């Protein structure tokens, strides 16, 4: 019988904070979700101070194979010393190669995790370019990452943008996948000089 991992792990730190993490551990030893965490609780004394649930897509076949299992959503909660509980939600989307293409941070939401509390939303969108030849297979190098205020990736809500360059290319097309600077001197692995902070988003989380 194959070992599929422990379904639950509990850790206690020196001051008594208890962290309990639950993992997928199905009867099918070949299930790709085995070993992935899906629920975490942090308990201080008799009170659970923080939780996180990972909602994974366990049913839809992916074009890039069965692993990794796509993480679709995280739901977090925190409880402060006044016993006030706040809830937070983030969702994730992927391109056809399994690259993370969009992260939507709802920020604080109601306890049902479906009703947003407006004012702290942020969306991060990433663009990738692929290069596939008989000798090169590059599909996971980002060429642009944009951060928007709100829940949509629209230009009039752009807060920041970073462009990435590889192999001395001014067109941001990865040939070998090595970070470099283009002929115009724009940095490959950091913001280009044209990156602008148009607004500063206020985050509650």
């Amino acid at each position: 019988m194959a070992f599929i991992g422990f379904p639950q792990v509990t850790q206690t730190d020196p001051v008594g904070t208890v962290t309990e993490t639950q993992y997928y551990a199905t009867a099918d030893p070949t299930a790709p979700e085995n070993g992935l965490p899906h629920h975490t609780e942090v308990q201080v004394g008799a009170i659970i101070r923080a939780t996180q649930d990972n909602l994974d897509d366990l049913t839809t076949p992916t074009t890039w194979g069965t692993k990794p299992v796509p993480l679709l959503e995280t739901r977090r909660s925190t409880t402060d010393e006044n016993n006030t509980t706040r809830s937070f939600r983030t969702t994730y989307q992927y391109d056809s190669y399994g690259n993370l293409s969009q992260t939507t941070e709802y920020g604080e939401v109601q306890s049902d995790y479906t009703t947003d509390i407006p004012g702290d939303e942020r969306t991060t969108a990433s663009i990738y370019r692929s290069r596939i030849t008989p000798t090169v297979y590059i599909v996971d190098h980002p060429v642009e990452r944009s951060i928007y205020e709100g829940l949509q990736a629209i230009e009039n809500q752009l807060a920041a943008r970073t462009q990435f360059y590889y192999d001395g290319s001014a067109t941001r097309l990865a040939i070998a996948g090595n970070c470099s600077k283009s002929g115009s001197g724009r940095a490959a692995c950091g913001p280009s000089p044209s990156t602008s902070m148009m607004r500063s988003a206020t985050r509650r989380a």
Side-chain angles (χ1 to χ4, degrees):
M1 178 180 294
F3 177 68
I4 59 176
F6 296 104
Q8 180 174 305
V9 174
T10 301
Q11 297 173 296
T12 304
D13 69 13
V15 299
T17 300
V18 178
T19 301
E20 178 184 290
T21 304
Q22 298 175 10
Y23 299 84
Y24 293 109
T26 71
D28 179 4
T30 65
E33 66 267 25
N34 283 338
L36 294 178
H38 65 84
H39 178 75
T40 301
E41 293 182 356
V42 178
Q43 184 169 334
V44 180
I47 300 176
I48 296 176
R49 294 295 185 185
T51 68
Q52 177 166 316
D53 287 286
N54 298 331
L55 280 63
D56 302 285
D57 186 349
L58 304 180
T59 59
T60 304
T62 62
T63 58
W64 61 90
T66 58
K67 292 185 179 181
V69 174
L71 174 64
L72 300 181
E73 183 176 334
T74 56
R75 297 178 174 183
R76 298 185 299 109
S77 72
T78 61
T79 302
D80 62 21
E81 295 179 353
N82 296 318
N83 291 331
T84 300
T85 299
R86 302 166 68 194
S87 303
F88 306 89
R89 179 190 183 204
T90 303
T91 61
Y92 308 91
Q93 298 178 35
Y94 304 85
D95 66 13
S96 59
Y97 293 105
N99 300 309
L100 180 62
S101 59
Q102 183 164 307
T103 301
T104 304
E105 299 171 81
Y106 289 78
E108 189 170 4
V109 296
Q110 299 287 357
S111 58
D112 61 2
Y113 289 100
T114 59
T115 305
D116 184 40
I117 299 177
D120 59 352
E121 300 81 6
R122 181 171 67 179
T123 299
T124 302
S126 297
I127 298 174
Y128 303 81
R129 284 186 182 166
S130 60
R131 179 177 175 81
I132 302 174
T133 72
T135 58
V136 177
Y137 187 85
I138 298 176
V139 297
D140 61 351
H141 284 44
V143 295
E144 185 172 282
R145 183 166 292 127
S146 303
I147 300 174
Y148 304 87
E149 292 183 347
L151 299 176
Q152 299 183 61
I154 53 180
E155 286 301 302
N156 64 1
Q157 292 182 307
L158 180 68
R161 173 165 289 154
T162 302
Q163 295 179 330
F164 302 88
Y165 293 81
Y166 303 91
D167 309 309
S169 172
T171 61
R172 295 181 288 157
L173 177 62
I175 299 174
N178 299 312
C179 293
S180 68
K181 291 185 178 181
S182 72
S184 60
R186 287 171 288 191
C189 297
S192 71
S194 62
T195 298
S196 61
M197 294 300 297
M198 298 174 62
R199 307 180 187 87
S200 59
T202 301
R203 306 296 302 157
R204 296 183 190 172

